[in-house]
Structures are given as structure tokens and as C-alpha cells.
Amino acid sequence: MASHRKSRTPGARVAGIRTPALATAALTSVALLSQTADAAPGDDRPSLEEVEKKVGDLYRQAESATEKYNAAKEKTAKQRKQVDTLLDDVAQRTQKLNEARAELGSYAAAQYRTGAGMPDTATFLLAETPQDVFDQRQVLDRMTGRQKAAVDDYVTQQTETMKKRQEATESLRTLTETQGDLKTAKATVQKKLADARELLSELTAEEKARLAAIEKRKQQEAARKAAELARQQAAQEQAEQQEREEAAQQGGRSSEGSGSGSTGSADTPPADSSYATKAEKALAFARAQIGKPYVWGATGPGSYDCSGLTQAAWKAAGVSLPRTTYDQVNAGTTVPVSQAQPGDLVFFYDDVTHVGLYVGNGMMIHAPKPGAYVREESVYYDGESAIHSIVRPA
């Protein structure tokens, strides 16, 4: 076998190799070459690191488009409701105006019967008595006054209502166009994701194994940082507990010296006990969703996107959150990462396009990305720099 291998020329093409041993060697060479930043001359194929980065960027673009779509959809629904209300109002006002026009028709008929359309001299000459002329003038004046008031009123109402309807219709048209643009953008991102997945599917077994190893190292590093955060939080909690106990002891001694019956503040529940109770309900709901697929724009119950999951979880605890990450990030109090508590919202990236629900010990539950499922993992899953902020919503 050794002599057989030596018989091949150094310039033999890798694609032409058929023996298992040589195929394995060739795959290993491809994997090693992909680690370098400089590609071989004439090789346009991206490295594994480049493929991984491209897919990650596309996932974030898709999630950003999803949040924008969610915002536009919510705004469109509100605008549509407003337009429907205005259209109902216009219909009612139009009906009143039609009734006014019918009344004006009766006024016109009455004028015709009384000869109001004739010149004043003719009306006077044809009247049986001057009193008849006076009576007709009085009736017509009253009729004309009521007629003018009715017309002015309803015409004004119709004009204002039609103006509002035009404004609302224009707003709805603009929003519908925006929503369509967002859908188009989403489709474009999904196409890029499909291209990236296709590229991944073309990797060799050796390359796929190495890519999996890269992902595993990232997960291990994320788990390590989560454990580090958990230790820091535990140490901080222990120190705070010790301070509370010391303060309680000092308060007890002061009470004994003064003869007071006060027992200090040791039995006083923490200020955030109500929050902890609500957070437990939110987390219980989120845990029950683990394993369900990420679907953009979904709010449950069979699937979720990231903000749809956090909104539904806190709704189960009786707390109403806005629909999108852009609004949820402003729906509470921002706290340092070191002081994160179970139930807090963890936001990611500079454009605030992802969110998860903190469960403690540096871990969170979230709907990660297209093609993935609701799961629990480290808040450092995409690196420490990816964390934007921590928000306590209730």
C-alpha cells in the first residue's frame, strides 16, 4: 500500500483520490487550510470561520427584521382600528346629511308652493291681502334660517370627517407599504440564510466536525463565564445577607438597652418579594415552552420569537409588556449584570434585537434564532460584548 501511495505524482488532484485513507488525508488538509486567513490561490471558498460569521450575521439581521416587522404590524393594527372608527363616523354623518338634504327638498317645495321664487312685486300683486304677504315672508325667513343652519352644520361635519378619513387612509396605505417592504426584507434575509445553510451542507464531514468543535468551545466558554457570574452573585448575596444579620443584631441590642419591645427588621420581607413571586410565574411559563420552535413574528402558543416569548411569560405573571424588544427595553428598571435576578430581561446587541429571560446562575431561557428551539443557555452564548442591558420589568 505504501508503494502504491508513493507512485502518485505530487500534482495529483484531491478530487480524483478514491482510497479511504487518502480521502481522509485530503479532508484533513482542507480543514487545516480553512484555519488560515489566507486562502489558496484561486480558491474562492470561504473558511469555516467566515461561514460561521456570515450565518451569525444573517441570523441577527433576520431577528432585527422580525422586530421591525412586529412593530409595524402592531402599529398597522392600531391604525386600522382607528380608520374603521372614522369610517363608521363618516357613514353616520353622511346619513344625517342625506336627511338634511331631504329636508331641504321639502323647503324648496314649500317655497315653490308659496311663490317664493317670484319677484317681490309679483308676489305682492297676487296676494289677496297685505297680511298674506307678511305671513309668507315670516314663514320663509324661519325656514331659510333653519335650512342654512342645517346645511352649514352637516357640511362642516362631513368636510372634517372626510379629511380625517383621508388622513387615516393615507396613514394606513403608508403602513401597509412599510409592512410589505419589511416582508420583502425578511424574505431576502431568509434567502441569505438558506444560502448559508446550503454552504454548510456542502462542507465535508471533517469540516463539519471542526465547526462543531468550534461551537462546542464557544458553549464551554459561555458556560464558564455563566458559572463565574453565578459565583459573583452568590458572594454578593452572602455579603448582603451578613450585613442584614449584623444590622438586625445591632438593632436588637439597641432595643434591649432602651427597654423597647421592637424586634428589629430581621423578619421584614425583602422589598422585591412581590417581584420574585411574579418572576417565578414568568419563569414557570417560560420553562414550559422549552423545545418549541422559534418562528419569526410568533407569540405562541405553539411557537415564539424572542420578544413574543418574554411578553407571553410575563403576561402569565400578570404583567403586560410591549410587543417588541425596542419597547420592552424601556419597560422597567435597568440594573447591572452582576445584580440580575430571575425574571429579569436580558437584551443583546447594540440595536437591541434579541431578548431572553434570566433564570439565575448566569443562565437564561430564550427563543434563539430561526431553525432553533426555545432553550436554556448561558447569557454569554454570543460573548460578553453582545449583552446590551438587563431590565427588571415589574
Side-chain angles (χ1 to χ4, degrees):
M1 181 61 73
S3 61
H4 175 70
R5 288 196 298 270
K6 291 180 180 178
S7 65
R8 291 190 178 272
T9 61
R13 295 175 64 229
V14 173
I17 297 174
R18 289 292 182 268
T19 64
L22 291 178
T24 301
L27 291 173
T28 303
S29 299
V30 172
L32 291 173
L33 286 172
S34 67
Q35 296 181 24
T36 62
D38 300 325
D43 185 7
D44 295 332
R45 190 176 185 179
S47 68
L48 289 181
E49 287 80 359
E50 291 172 337
V51 171
E52 183 188 34
K53 183 179 185 303
K54 180 179 179 180
V55 172
D57 289 344
L58 287 170
Y59 279 142
R60 284 190 288 276
Q61 291 174 23
E63 199 158 34
S64 176
T66 296
E67 292 303 312
K68 291 178 181 178
Y69 174 82
N70 290 340
K73 183 178 179 180
E74 185 178 41
K75 190 173 182 180
T76 300
K78 293 179 179 178
Q79 190 70 41
R80 191 183 301 277
K81 184 177 180 180
Q82 180 182 358
V83 170
D84 289 342
T85 301
L86 286 172
L87 290 175
D88 289 341
D89 184 57
V90 168
Q92 294 175 6
R93 290 174 184 269
T94 301
Q95 177 62 31
K96 291 181 179 179
L97 188 61
N98 289 337
E99 293 173 358
R101 285 173 177 167
E103 186 177 2
L104 293 180
S106 65
Y107 290 159
Q111 288 177 338
Y112 177 79
R113 288 194 301 270
T114 58
M118 293 185 296
D120 292 343
T121 303
T123 301
F124 180 80
L125 293 174
L126 292 174
E128 294 183 2
T129 67
Q131 184 62 40
D132 289 341
V133 176
F134 178 78
D135 292 341
Q136 290 179 13
R137 289 297 185 191
Q138 290 291 98
V139 171
L140 290 175
D141 287 344
R142 289 196 297 271
M143 291 174 59
T144 303
R146 290 196 300 271
Q147 169 187 332
K148 185 177 184 304
V151 172
D152 289 346
D153 181 41
Y154 291 121
V155 168
T156 299
Q157 290 184 30
Q158 185 190 43
T159 301
E160 293 177 351
T161 304
M162 291 297 292
K163 182 179 179 180
K164 290 181 180 179
R165 182 174 66 176
Q166 291 172 356
E167 293 175 355
T169 301
E170 178 64 20
S171 297
L172 180 60
R173 184 189 65 79
T174 302
L175 287 171
T176 302
E177 289 180 354
T178 301
Q179 192 175 41
D181 292 341
L182 290 172
K183 288 181 179 179
T184 301
K186 179 69 177 181
T188 301
V189 172
Q190 287 179 325
K191 177 62 169 59
K192 292 181 180 180
L193 286 171
D195 291 342
R197 292 192 188 101
E198 183 179 356
L199 181 58
L200 287 172
S201 69
E202 294 175 352
L203 295 175
T204 66
E206 186 75 17
E207 290 172 324
K208 289 180 180 178
R210 180 171 165 263
L211 191 61
I214 293 174
E215 181 62 25
K216 184 176 181 180
R217 286 196 297 271
K218 288 178 62 177
Q219 292 176 353
Q220 290 173 341
E221 175 61 17
R224 185 192 67 78
K225 293 192 69 65
E228 180 181 342
L229 175 60
R231 287 192 296 270
Q232 293 175 354
Q233 290 179 330
Q236 181 177 345
E237 175 61 26
Q238 185 176 4
E240 291 176 354
Q241 178 64 27
Q242 185 175 354
E243 290 179 1
R244 288 194 293 267
E245 291 176 354
E246 291 176 354
Q249 291 175 359
Q250 292 177 357
R253 287 193 295 269
S254 299
S255 298
E256 291 175 1
S258 63
S260 171
S262 173
T263 58
S265 60
D267 296 332
T268 301
D272 59 352
S273 60
S274 62
Y275 176 78
T277 300
K278 294 176 182 177
E280 287 178 4
K281 294 179 180 179
L283 288 173
F285 178 92
R287 288 191 179 96
Q289 313 313 309
I290 290 177
K292 294 183 178 181
Y294 175 105
V295 174
W296 68 276
T299 57
S303 58
Y304 297 89
D305 62 19
C306 66
S307 57
L309 176 63
T310 52
Q311 183 189 46
W314 271 105
K315 182 179 180 180
V319 177
S320 178
L321 290 182
R323 175 64 182 91
T324 68
T325 55
Y326 311 127
D327 293 326
Q328 288 183 10
V329 75
N330 298 315
T333 303
T334 303
V335 298
V337 175
S338 61
Q339 296 180 17
Q341 294 182 8
D344 289 352
L345 302 176
V346 188
F347 293 93
F348 295 87
Y349 312 119
D350 292 339
D351 54 357
V352 197
T353 52
H354 187 66
V355 62
L357 196 65
Y358 191 68
V359 300
N361 296 324
M363 305 293 288
M364 69 175 176
I365 297 174
H366 68 147
K369 58 187 177 182
Y373 298 84
V374 176
R375 66 194 184 203
E376 180 176 333
E377 66 180 331
S378 170
V379 296
Y380 299 105
Y381 81 108
D382 203 21
E384 186 173 1
S385 62
I387 298 177
H388 175 274
S389 58
I390 309 291
V391 173
R392 190 157 299 152

